[in-house]
Amino acid sequence: MAPLTDFYQLTMAYGHWRAGRHRLPAAAELFFRRGPFRGAFALAAGLAEGLRCLRAFRFSAADVAYLRSVLPSTTEDAFFDYLATLDASEVTVSAVPEGSVVFARVPFLQVKGPLLVVQLLETMLLCLVNYASLVATNASRFRLLAGPDMKLMEIGLRRAQGPDGALSASKYSYIGGFDCTSNVLAGKLYGIPVRGTIAHSFIMSFTSLEEVQPRELLPLAGGEPVDLPALAKSLLQRVCELLQTPPEKTNRGELAAFVSYAISFPHDFQGLLDTYCVRRSGLPNFCAVALALHQLGYRAVGVRLDSGDLAQQSKEIRRVFRACGAHFQVPWFETIPIAVSNDISEQSLEEFSREGSEIDMIGVGTNLVTCPLQPSLGCVYKLVEVNGSPRMKLTEDEEKMTIPGIKTIYRLYDAAGHPFMDLMALEEEPLPSAGQELAIRVLGRLGETSKVCEPLPSLPEVRSHAQVSLSLLSPAHRRLHEPQPYPVAVTERLHNLLTELRQATQ
C-alpha cells in the first residue's frame, strides 16, 4: 500500500532524506474542520483499514523500479535503496475507537514516528478515513431520522463510484446503522446480512400462468403436492370480490411471476407491487398468492413499492391486508411488512414521519452511497510536532490555522450522560482530576481517545459502538438541522503556546 500516495509526498521524502532529516521524531494529527451535512458530529470510520494498511506498508521491488522511472534523474540511487527497506514498524498510531462520534477541529487519529514515514502516510490515511467517515455519518443520519425500529437496507451498488466505492459504502453504512445490503460481495467479505428478492424485469418476463414451471408445491406439513397456479387463480377471484376490483384488470403475467417466485422461495415470498397498477393488479395478485401459500403452511415475508406516493400507498396497502386478514381469517396477514425504495433521501424520511406511514423497511441507494449533500468530509492531516518542537500552520484563512503540539483529548459529560465539550490539552499536561477547576479557552463554533490495539473489534461490534455513541449525544447536538454548535476548548497552557507561536511568525 506504500505507493498509494500523492507524488509530492515522495519528492518531500527525498528532500527530508537528502537533508538528513528523515529520522527526526515527528507527530501528525487527522481531523476535519467543519461538521458534515451542516450537522454537529461525524462518525469516525476507516481506522481499522488504516491500521491494516500500516502493517502492510512496504515498497516492493517493482514499486521501487517504478519510482526510479518517475522521480527526477538526479535522485540518488541510495534513496531508492532506502525506500526498499522502509516500513512503519517505528510508527505509533492513537485513535478513537472506530464508530465513535467525533467533532470538528478535534483530532481523532494521531501518528508518531520518523518524519519521512509520518509524511508518507498522510495521503493513504486520508484516503481510507475520509469517505469511510462521511458515508458512516450519512448512514447514521438516515438511522436517526428513521428511528430504531425501522429496517434500513443499503441498495447503492449500481449507483456507487465504482466497485471500491460500492464496497466501502456497504461496509460503512452498516457501521452507521443500516441493517443489511444488496451487495453480495460485501456480504461475503464483511459478513453483512444480504437481502433482495425480485425486480420489475422478473415480473415483466412472464405473460401467463401457462409459463409457470414447475407448477406444484408441497405443503409445509407434508402430503400431496398442490397446483399453486390453480389455487392462486381461484383465490384471486375471491380477493377481487373483497376489494371490489375487476379480476380482468389484474395482469396475469404478474400473477404468473408471483406464483413462480413463490414456488421457488415459499419461505421468502415478497411481492413487488408496482410493475403495473398497485391497486388493480399488484395488490390483489400478491394477496392471492400469499393466501395460497398460507393454505400450504407458508407465510409471505412482505411487499415492496418502488414508485408513487410511498407513504399514502403504504397506508392503503395496510388497510387491504387488514381486510384480507379478517375476511380470510389469517391474523398474520395484517402485519405483512411493507418495504419501499425509489430514490429515498433524508427529505423522504422526514415526509414519511410528517405524513405518517405503514412502512416497515426502507431501501436507500443513491442518496446514501454518493453523499450528494456533501461529497467529501474534508479531513486533513497536519504536522503538529517535529523533533520535540511544536509546529503550527498560520494562514490568512482563520479556519485553516492548526493547533500546535501533541495533544491529549478529554471528553466532558454532563449529569445526564451527554457529552457537552471536548477539551484539548498538551500531552505533557497532568491529567485533570474530578472537581478540579480548569482554565480553558473555547474555540467557538466550529473524543474519547485510546491507543489502537489488537484485536480489532468486529464489524458488528463497531456498529454497536457507533449506535451507543450516537445515543449519548444530547438532542441539541444530535438533531440534523441547525444543531447547537458543539464546544471545543483548549487548556490555558495550549492556548498560550498557540498565541506564542502565532506572534513569533508575525
Side-chain angles (χ1 to χ4, degrees):
M1 292 297 290
L4 183 63
T5 191
D6 291 307
F7 188 68
Y8 79 166
Q9 304 287 13
L10 289 156
T11 58
M12 287 191 288
Y14 180 65
H16 286 316
W17 179 86
R18 190 77 172 73
R21 296 165 44 83
H22 55 292
R23 291 197 52 79
L24 290 177
E29 294 173 342
L30 191 152
F31 58 95
F32 56 92
R33 294 188 175 106
R34 296 183 186 177
F37 311 111
R38 298 184 179 180
F41 68 88
L43 285 185
L47 307 177
E49 197 63 36
L51 284 184
R52 294 187 185 99
C53 290
L54 209 65
R55 289 197 292 267
F57 184 83
R58 300 279 194 290
F59 287 102
S60 68
D63 295 334
V64 173
Y66 172 72
L67 294 179
R68 284 181 183 274
S69 73
V70 295
L71 282 167
S73 59
T74 54
T75 307
E76 296 179 27
D77 287 343
F79 176 65
F80 297 107
D81 296 336
Y82 172 73
L83 289 182
T85 67
L86 201 62
D87 61 26
S89 58
E90 295 182 81
V91 169
T92 301
V93 175
S94 302
V96 299
E98 186 143 18
S100 296
V101 167
V102 288
F103 299 98
R105 301 193 69 177
V106 181
F108 59 95
L109 185 147
Q110 180 189 85
V111 179
K112 296 180 184 177
L115 175 60
L116 184 147
V117 182
V118 169
Q119 185 68 65
L120 279 178
L121 292 174
E122 175 183 9
T123 300
M124 181 188 76
L125 289 173
L126 286 173
C127 177
L128 293 171
V129 169
N130 251 316
Y131 178 69
S133 299
L134 183 73
V135 76
T137 304
N138 199 23
S140 74
R141 292 170 63 88
F142 278 96
R143 169 51 68 197
L144 289 171
L145 282 170
D149 300 324
M150 180 73 71
K151 293 294 183 183
L152 293 177
M153 179 176 176
E154 178 270 314
I155 55 173
L157 176 56
R158 62 187 62 190
R159 303 283 189 254
Q161 291 93 337
D164 291 340
L167 285 171
S168 293
S170 298
K171 180 178 182 179
Y172 296 112
S173 63
Y174 183 66
I175 286 176
F178 274 59
D179 299 287
C180 53
T181 179
S182 66
N183 189 333
V184 176
L185 184 55
K188 175 189 174 185
L189 294 176
Y190 309 129
I192 302 170
V194 292
R195 297 287 184 272
T197 51
I198 56 176
H200 296 108
S201 57
F202 183 87
I203 296 170
M204 293 161 61
S205 71
F206 289 83
T207 59
S208 71
L209 287 170
E210 284 68 37
E211 296 173 318
V212 177
Q213 292 294 335
R215 301 179 66 83
E216 294 182 329
L217 180 64
L218 286 170
L220 184 60
E224 292 298 314
V226 174
D227 186 319
L228 194 65
L231 179 58
K233 186 177 179 180
S234 67
L235 284 165
L236 177 61
Q237 187 72 30
R238 297 171 61 188
V239 169
C240 287
E241 290 174 4
L242 174 67
L243 302 184
Q244 298 181 337
T245 299
E248 62 272 15
K249 295 291 186 180
T250 60
N251 186 288
R252 292 309 167 95
E254 181 180 60
L255 178 62
F258 286 173
V259 170
S260 180
Y261 194 85
I263 291 172
S264 299
F265 299 98
H267 293 283
D268 298 283
F269 171 59
Q270 183 189 55
L272 177 57
L273 303 185
D274 64 337
T275 304
Y276 302 109
C277 175
V278 175
R279 176 70 184 180
R280 292 196 304 269
S281 185
L283 193 50
N285 278 334
F286 169 81
C287 290
V289 177
L291 289 167
L293 284 175
H294 171 72
Q295 288 193 13
L296 302 184
Y298 302 98
R299 181 180 292 196
V301 299
V303 296
R304 180 164 71 93
L305 292 167
D306 192 48
S307 61
D309 187 333
L310 301 175
Q312 182 60 33
Q313 288 184 100
S314 74
K315 290 184 278 191
E316 294 172 0
I317 290 167
R318 184 66 68 202
R319 284 195 290 270
V320 169
F321 287 166
R322 290 185 179 124
C324 282
H327 182 80
F328 293 97
Q329 297 183 322
V330 184
W332 61 263
F333 218 82
E334 67 178 41
T335 62
I336 292 174
I338 300 171
V340 299
S341 50
N342 188 27
D343 204 27
I344 300 295
S345 64
E346 286 188 10
Q347 182 179 350
S348 304
L349 269 64
E350 290 170 341
E351 290 172 357
F352 296 162
S353 177
R354 185 168 57 249
E355 298 172 13
S357 79
E358 290 288 341
I359 296 168
D360 302 289
M361 184 174 187
I362 301 173
V364 190
T366 304
N367 290 297
L368 173 63
V369 304
T370 66
C371 302
L373 297 180
Q374 181 171 331
S376 173
L377 179 56
C379 286
V380 293
Y381 177 99
K382 299 298 180 183
L383 278 175
V384 293
E385 185 175 292
V386 176
N387 202 25
S389 176
R391 293 292 190 267
M392 175 183 180
K393 177 184 177 182
L394 280 172
T395 173
E396 292 180 1
D397 186 345
E398 186 82 11
E399 185 183 54
K400 291 193 172 184
M401 184 181 70
T402 62
I403 300 173
I406 301 174
K407 293 173 277 296
T408 300
I409 314 300
Y410 300 100
R411 179 155 293 172
L412 310 182
Y413 293 83
D414 61 22
H418 302 307
F420 70 89
M421 179 183 289
D422 280 10
L423 176 64
M424 289 187 273
L426 288 169
E427 187 179 49
E428 64 266 22
E429 290 190 65
L431 180 73
S433 57
Q436 175 186 352
E437 286 193 10
L438 293 173
I440 63 171
R441 300 295 183 101
V442 177
L443 296 181
R445 297 198 66 166
L446 295 171
E448 65 238 55
T449 67
S450 64
K451 288 287 182 182
V452 179
C453 59
E454 292 291 352
L456 292 172
S458 67
L459 199 62
E461 288 171 334
V462 173
R463 181 178 185 271
S464 177
H465 174 70
Q467 301 314 301
V468 170
S469 295
L470 289 167
S471 70
L472 291 177
L473 284 175
S474 71
H477 297 136
R478 190 167 56 232
R479 65 176 179 248
L480 305 186
H481 300 295
E482 299 183 356
Q484 180 178 315
Y486 184 83
V488 175
V490 297
T491 61
E492 188 72 17
R493 184 171 169 183
L494 179 53
H495 178 264
N496 291 340
L497 173 64
L498 191 155
T499 303
E500 180 182 314
L501 290 177
R502 197 173 185 178
Q503 292 173 345
T505 56
Q506 290 177 344

CSV table of all heavy atoms in Angstrom, one decimal, residues 60-61 68 91 120 138 142-143 146 193 197 211 229 239-240 265 288 309 350-351 361 378 411 418 423 430:
chain,number,residue,atom,x,y,z
A,60,SER,N,7.7,-2.5,-2.7
A,60,SER,CA,8.2,-3.7,-3.3
A,60,SER,C,9.3,-3.4,-4.3
A,60,SER,O,9.5,-2.2,-4.7
A,60,SER,CB,7.1,-4.5,-4.0
A,60,SER,OG,6.6,-3.8,-5.2
A,61,ALA,N,10.0,-4.4,-4.8
A,61,ALA,CA,11.0,-4.2,-5.9
A,61,ALA,C,10.4,-3.5,-7.1
A,61,ALA,O,11.0,-2.6,-7.7
A,61,ALA,CB,11.7,-5.5,-6.2
A,68,ARG,N,11.9,4.9,-9.7
A,68,ARG,CA,13.1,5.3,-10.4
A,68,ARG,C,12.7,5.9,-11.7
A,68,ARG,O,13.4,6.8,-12.2
A,68,ARG,CB,14.0,4.1,-10.6
A,68,ARG,CG,14.8,3.6,-9.4
A,68,ARG,CD,15.6,2.4,-9.8
A,68,ARG,NE,16.3,1.8,-8.7
A,68,ARG,CZ,17.5,2.3,-8.2
A,68,ARG,NH1,18.1,3.3,-8.9
A,68,ARG,NH2,18.1,1.7,-7.2
A,91,VAL,N,6.3,3.4,13.8
A,91,VAL,CA,5.2,4.3,13.9
A,91,VAL,C,4.2,3.9,15.0
A,91,VAL,O,3.9,2.7,15.1
A,91,VAL,CB,4.4,4.4,12.5
A,91,VAL,CG1,3.1,5.1,12.6
A,91,VAL,CG2,5.3,5.0,11.5
A,120,LEU,N,4.8,10.3,4.6
A,120,LEU,CA,4.4,9.4,3.6
A,120,LEU,C,3.0,8.8,3.9
A,120,LEU,O,2.3,8.4,2.9
A,120,LEU,CB,5.4,8.3,3.3
A,120,LEU,CG,6.6,8.6,2.5
A,120,LEU,CD1,7.5,7.4,2.4
A,120,LEU,CD2,6.2,9.1,1.1
A,138,ASN,N,-23.4,9.8,7.1
A,138,ASN,CA,-24.6,9.9,6.3
A,138,ASN,C,-25.6,8.8,6.7
A,138,ASN,O,-26.8,9.0,6.8
A,138,ASN,CB,-24.2,9.8,4.8
A,138,ASN,CG,-25.3,10.3,3.9
A,138,ASN,OD1,-26.1,11.1,4.3
A,138,ASN,ND2,-25.3,9.8,2.6
A,142,PHE,N,-29.6,8.9,8.4
A,142,PHE,CA,-30.8,8.1,8.0
A,142,PHE,C,-31.3,7.3,9.1
A,142,PHE,O,-32.6,7.2,9.3
A,142,PHE,CB,-30.4,7.2,6.8
A,142,PHE,CG,-30.4,7.9,5.5
A,142,PHE,CD1,-29.3,8.4,4.9
A,142,PHE,CD2,-31.6,8.1,4.7
A,142,PHE,CE1,-29.3,9.0,3.7
A,142,PHE,CE2,-31.6,8.7,3.5
A,142,PHE,CZ,-30.5,9.2,3.0
A,143,ARG,N,-30.4,6.7,9.9
A,143,ARG,CA,-30.9,5.9,11.1
A,143,ARG,C,-31.6,6.8,12.1
A,143,ARG,O,-32.7,6.4,12.6
A,143,ARG,CB,-29.7,5.2,11.7
A,143,ARG,CG,-30.0,4.5,13.0
A,143,ARG,CD,-31.2,3.6,13.0
A,143,ARG,NE,-31.0,2.5,12.2
A,143,ARG,CZ,-32.0,1.7,11.8
A,143,ARG,NH1,-33.3,2.0,12.0
A,143,ARG,NH2,-31.8,0.6,11.0
A,146,ALA,N,-35.0,7.7,10.7
A,146,ALA,CA,-35.9,6.5,10.6
A,146,ALA,C,-36.4,6.0,12.0
A,146,ALA,O,-37.4,5.4,12.1
A,146,ALA,CB,-35.2,5.4,9.8
A,193,PRO,N,-25.4,-8.8,6.6
A,193,PRO,CA,-26.5,-9.6,6.1
A,193,PRO,C,-26.9,-9.0,4.7
A,193,PRO,O,-26.9,-7.8,4.5
A,193,PRO,CB,-27.6,-9.2,7.1
A,193,PRO,CG,-26.9,-8.9,8.4
A,193,PRO,CD,-25.6,-8.2,7.9
A,197,THR,N,-35.0,-9.7,-3.4
A,197,THR,CA,-36.0,-10.7,-3.9
A,197,THR,C,-36.1,-10.5,-5.4
A,197,THR,O,-35.4,-11.2,-6.1
A,197,THR,CB,-37.4,-10.5,-3.2
A,197,THR,OG1,-37.7,-9.1,-3.3
A,197,THR,CG2,-37.3,-10.9,-1.7
A,211,GLU,N,-46.9,-20.3,-18.3
A,211,GLU,CA,-45.4,-20.3,-18.3
A,211,GLU,C,-44.8,-20.8,-17.0
A,211,GLU,O,-43.6,-21.0,-17.0
A,211,GLU,CB,-45.0,-18.9,-18.6
A,211,GLU,CG,-45.3,-18.4,-20.0
A,211,GLU,CD,-45.0,-16.9,-20.2
A,211,GLU,OE1,-45.2,-16.1,-19.2
A,211,GLU,OE2,-44.5,-16.6,-21.3
A,229,PRO,N,-50.5,-22.5,-9.2
A,229,PRO,CA,-51.1,-21.6,-10.1
A,229,PRO,C,-52.7,-21.7,-10.0
A,229,PRO,O,-53.4,-20.6,-10.0
A,229,PRO,CB,-50.6,-21.9,-11.5
A,229,PRO,CG,-49.3,-22.6,-11.2
A,229,PRO,CD,-49.5,-23.3,-9.9
A,239,VAL,N,-60.4,-12.6,-3.7
A,239,VAL,CA,-59.8,-11.4,-3.3
A,239,VAL,C,-60.3,-10.2,-4.0
A,239,VAL,O,-60.6,-9.1,-3.5
A,239,VAL,CB,-58.2,-11.5,-3.5
A,239,VAL,CG1,-57.6,-10.1,-3.3
A,239,VAL,CG2,-57.6,-12.5,-2.5
A,240,CYS,N,-60.5,-10.3,-5.4
A,240,CYS,CA,-61.1,-9.2,-6.2
A,240,CYS,C,-62.5,-8.9,-5.7
A,240,CYS,O,-62.9,-7.7,-5.7
A,240,CYS,CB,-61.0,-9.6,-7.6
A,240,CYS,SG,-59.4,-9.6,-8.4
A,265,PHE,N,-39.3,-19.9,-3.8
A,265,PHE,CA,-39.0,-19.5,-2.4
A,265,PHE,C,-40.2,-19.4,-1.6
A,265,PHE,O,-40.7,-18.3,-1.2
A,265,PHE,CB,-38.3,-18.1,-2.5
A,265,PHE,CG,-37.0,-18.1,-3.3
A,265,PHE,CD1,-37.0,-17.7,-4.6
A,265,PHE,CD2,-35.8,-18.5,-2.7
A,265,PHE,CE1,-35.8,-17.6,-5.3
A,265,PHE,CE2,-34.7,-18.4,-3.4
A,265,PHE,CZ,-34.7,-18.0,-4.7
A,288,ALA,N,-53.6,-13.0,-3.4
A,288,ALA,CA,-54.0,-14.3,-3.8
A,288,ALA,C,-52.9,-15.3,-3.6
A,288,ALA,O,-53.1,-16.4,-3.1
A,288,ALA,CB,-54.4,-14.3,-5.3
A,309,ASP,N,-46.6,7.7,-4.4
A,309,ASP,CA,-46.6,8.3,-3.1
A,309,ASP,C,-46.5,7.1,-2.1
A,309,ASP,O,-47.5,6.5,-1.8
A,309,ASP,CB,-48.0,9.0,-2.9
A,309,ASP,CG,-48.0,9.8,-1.5
A,309,ASP,OD1,-47.3,9.4,-0.6
A,309,ASP,OD2,-48.8,10.7,-1.4
A,350,GLU,N,-38.3,12.4,6.3
A,350,GLU,CA,-39.0,13.4,7.0
A,350,GLU,C,-40.4,13.5,6.6
A,350,GLU,O,-41.3,13.7,7.5
A,350,GLU,CB,-38.3,14.8,6.8
A,350,GLU,CG,-36.9,14.9,7.5
A,350,GLU,CD,-36.1,16.1,7.0
A,350,GLU,OE1,-36.5,16.7,6.0
A,350,GLU,OE2,-35.2,16.5,7.7
A,351,GLU,N,-40.7,13.3,5.3
A,351,GLU,CA,-42.1,13.3,4.9
A,351,GLU,C,-42.8,12.1,5.4
A,351,GLU,O,-44.0,12.2,5.8
A,351,GLU,CB,-42.1,13.3,3.3
A,351,GLU,CG,-41.6,14.6,2.7
A,351,GLU,CD,-41.5,14.6,1.2
A,351,GLU,OE1,-41.7,13.5,0.6
A,351,GLU,OE2,-41.1,15.6,0.6
A,361,MET,N,-39.7,-1.1,6.2
A,361,MET,CA,-38.4,-1.3,5.7
A,361,MET,C,-38.1,-0.3,4.6
A,361,MET,O,-39.0,-0.1,3.7
A,361,MET,CB,-38.1,-2.7,5.2
A,361,MET,CG,-36.7,-3.0,4.8
A,361,MET,SD,-36.4,-4.7,4.4
A,361,MET,CE,-34.6,-4.7,4.2
A,378,GLY,N,-13.7,16.2,4.0
A,378,GLY,CA,-12.7,17.3,4.1
A,378,GLY,C,-11.7,17.1,5.3
A,378,GLY,O,-11.2,18.1,5.9
A,411,ARG,N,-13.1,14.2,26.8
A,411,ARG,CA,-14.5,14.5,26.5
A,411,ARG,C,-15.2,14.6,27.8
A,411,ARG,O,-15.2,13.8,28.7
A,411,ARG,CB,-15.1,13.3,25.7
A,411,ARG,CG,-16.6,13.5,25.4
A,411,ARG,CD,-17.0,12.8,24.2
A,411,ARG,NE,-16.4,13.3,23.0
A,411,ARG,CZ,-16.4,12.8,21.8
A,411,ARG,NH1,-17.1,11.7,21.6
A,411,ARG,NH2,-15.8,13.4,20.7
A,418,HIS,N,-24.6,13.2,28.7
A,418,HIS,CA,-24.4,13.6,27.3
A,418,HIS,C,-23.0,14.3,27.3
A,418,HIS,O,-22.7,15.1,28.2
A,418,HIS,CB,-25.5,14.6,26.9
A,418,HIS,CG,-26.8,14.1,26.9
A,418,HIS,ND1,-27.2,12.9,26.3
A,418,HIS,CD2,-28.0,14.5,27.5
A,418,HIS,CE1,-28.5,12.7,26.5
A,418,HIS,NE2,-29.0,13.6,27.2
A,423,LEU,N,-12.1,18.8,25.2
A,423,LEU,CA,-11.0,19.6,25.7
A,423,LEU,C,-9.7,19.1,25.2
A,423,LEU,O,-9.4,17.9,25.4
A,423,LEU,CB,-11.1,19.7,27.3
A,423,LEU,CG,-9.9,20.5,27.9
A,423,LEU,CD1,-10.0,21.9,27.6
A,423,LEU,CD2,-10.0,20.3,29.4
A,430,PRO,N,-0.7,17.5,33.2
A,430,PRO,CA,-1.2,16.5,34.1
A,430,PRO,C,-2.7,16.2,33.8
A,430,PRO,O,-3.4,17.0,33.3
A,430,PRO,CB,-1.0,17.1,35.5
A,430,PRO,CG,-0.9,18.5,35.2
A,430,PRO,CD,-0.3,18.7,33.9
